[in-house]
Amino acid sequence: MAKVYNWQLGREMEYPYAGGDRERQFAAVFNINRCIACQTCTMACKSTWTHYPGQELMFWNNVETKPYGGYPRSWDAKLLEMQETLDPGGQNWAGTGQADVRSPYGRFDGKTIFETANGTSERVTGYLPDDDEWKAPNNGEDHGTKMGPDGAKLPVHQGWFFYLQRICNHCSYPACLAACPRNAIYKRKEDGIVLIDQERCRGYRKCVAACPYKKSMYRPTTRTSEKCIACYPRIEGQDPISDGVPMETRCMASCIGKIRMQGLVQVEADATWTHDPRNPIYYMVHVEKVALPLYPQFGTQPNIYYIPPRWAPREYLRQMFGPGVDAAIEKYANPSRELLALLQLFRATREVIFAFDVIPGPVAQTLNVGGRSRTIYDDTVVGYDAKGREVARVKVVEPVVTRPGSINSI
Amino acid sequence: MAEFHVTFHPGGPAAAAPSAKELEAEDPYELVGLTFEVPPDHDVDLLMARTFVEEYALMGYSRPALRKLFETPFYAGTHDILVRRGPAYVDSVLDEVFGAEVPGDEAGEASAGAAPADEGTSRG
Ligand code: SF4
Ligand code: SF4
């Protein structure tokens, strides 16, 4: 095993390969607080990439209801339990987050999924889900609870819950890649996208077992494994409508709730991020620290970052997103003027935004947010594409159009 | 507690009365839940109500527009809170966000001070 640096853990860790060349990394921020689980993203992906024979149960993008089953069912609870068994009492964080990009959340002292596999015949700790576990992309939420003479009843949640949007994390240290005995999986230096070479893959499913997020899936008709390809022709700027600049993926661009923003960040040889606070993804992850990685303790350094839901119990969230949760929610619930403006840039354009600016505007209203008085300004936020051209300009105050009740029927 | 009802009529109205079936835990298609202890002071209605109100208020929504989100049954999340806790509860949350005068303007002023008067930002 080589030693690599994992900034999300704030320490070096063991990984089967030393880091290769890196230039840019595919990354995204998902704002859980705004997702309505419409599954438009899920269907945008499915209707583009996985509607062929053998892909019936394959959802490269899915949105699941937490803390219910997940897709595949209980994927996270199962792996957390395995890790706890292999590293009893050890899955803990220490220290406090630092201002630099090398240890923003403190240090994870427990063992990663690579480290708990040490001394076993596997390179990564994981498991292969049963076919039954892949049956629904949002088990629980989308199932009727009762059939009766009046029809089927859908569940009404009385406790807390939230939606978790999931795609491949195009991890900096992919577990799928680490586990493949054929070296069929590779990570591209130009954008960090992780792909499975369908010619080399023999369908051993080591990647399916190893991926902690269960985002590599087996296709019986081709006897190969497949996974999210990050819509790479769009990222490469090959889509005719993007005029040669990177364009966001199908799941991002179609998001009804405007919860998703995708980007490309510059990375160093050790996979830390190059200082670039005008990049919106960098700004949210490293300046504001409002967006956090999903289960960073697994050790793959995933690249989808989540703004945690402000209403869910903190202990649950700390296990899911690490020790940065409390500060992230504090930042989100009472955002800086700049962050508030940036949140409006989500889904304002389909081009990847490489830089943003905020132009101060007039006072909009005064509120008491989180127990503190604050003024809201109608600032303008501007986004720029890879060529530095302006591609989006929106204001903080959302325009409201009220349809008269008489024509308000769908 | 209100419940949604989706009525469907396979084969026409005559066949529209399926027998009532209770939830069976071992049915693989039934809800598979995980249980978590929720801290006793975790008032999920209050946290959700504040989330709804503050999310929209930060984007410039007015108090009357937000009150409508609770009154209209088509907005199930907000309306459920009104049904469960009553209008006075909803008004108290709205009062808190829109009404109260409290000292200090932490995030707003701090950030406004950092931004140059005309354009651009302080990042970089
Ligand atoms: S399209 Fe957006 S709002 Fe709808 S389920 Fe997907 S992430 Fe959530
Ligand atoms: S999320 Fe899973 S499939 Fe995607 S790169 Fe990471 S380990 Fe591989």
Side-chain angles (χ1 to χ4, degrees), chain B residues 25-108:
Chain B
E26 71 280 7
D27 182 340
Y29 275 110
E30 282 295 359
L31 183 72
V32 179
L34 301 170
T35 51
F36 294 92
E37 269 181 42
V38 175
D41 57 347
H42 192 87
D43 179 351
V44 83
D45 283 344
L46 184 62
L47 288 162
M48 280 313 309
R50 281 202 76 108
T51 302
F52 286 128
V53 172
E54 289 179 8
E55 278 278 323
Y56 286 99
L58 285 167
M59 291 188 284
Y61 272 50
S62 67
R63 187 192 162 120
L66 270 158
R67 185 69 159 77
K68 275 228 160 63
L69 288 189
F70 287 88
E71 287 162 3
T72 312
F74 297 111
Y75 299 113
T78 36
H79 187 65
D80 265 5
I81 295 171
L82 181 105
V83 170
R84 206 161 39 236
R85 306 296 289 259
Y89 182 84
V90 170
D91 283 331
S92 73
V93 175
L94 290 167
D95 278 348
E96 231 178 292
V97 175
F98 285 97
E101 289 289 322
V102 283
D105 180 9
E106 302 200 1

Side-chain angles (χ1 to χ4, degrees), chain A residues 34 67 135 140 143 147 152 158 277-278 310-311 332 337-338 356 358 365 368 372-375 377 398, chain B residues 1 20-21 29 31 36 42 48 54-55 57 59 61 96-97 102 104-106 109 111-112 120-121 123:
Chain A
R34 292 189 181 175
K135 266 181 187 159
H143 287 69
M147 295 278 281
Q158 289 188 29
R278 281 191 78 212
R310 37 184 291 190
W311 59 86
Y332 181 71
R337 193 166 163 180
E338 224 157 28
F356 77 103
V358 179
Q365 58 184 344
N368 172 12
R372 276 172 288 179
S373 174
R374 65 164 294 170
T375 307
Y377 298 87
E398 185 87 13
Chain B
M1 172 79 257
K21 291 197 173 136
Y29 275 110
L31 183 72
F36 294 92
H42 192 87
M48 280 313 309
E54 289 179 8
E55 278 278 323
M59 291 188 284
Y61 272 50
E96 231 178 292
V97 175
V102 283
D105 180 9
E106 302 200 1
E109 286 304 336
S111 187
T121 70
R123 285 164 293 127

Side-chain angles (χ1 to χ4, degrees), chain A residues 262-341:
Chain A
Q262 181 225 309
L264 287 159
V265 293
Q266 295 285 337
V267 284
E268 305 290 325
D270 65 357
T272 54
W273 292 14
T274 309
H275 183 70
D276 183 10
R278 281 191 78 212
N279 180 307
I281 306 295
Y282 182 97
Y283 180 76
M284 286 184 277
V285 172
H286 278 301
V287 179
E288 294 279 0
K289 296 191 179 83
V290 70
L292 304 167
L294 178 64
Y295 293 118
Q297 66 268 42
F298 292 156
T300 63
Q301 203 172 288
N303 288 298
I304 305 298
Y305 294 83
Y306 294 85
I307 302 180
R310 37 184 291 190
W311 59 86
R314 294 296 171 86
E315 213 173 317
Y316 182 81
L317 296 178
R318 281 183 211 115
Q319 183 179 45
M320 186 170 268
F321 301 110
V325 157
D326 299 281
I329 292 180
E330 173 66 19
K331 281 274 163 119
Y332 181 71
N334 199 5
S336 70
R337 193 166 163 180
E338 224 157 28
L339 177 59
L340 182 60

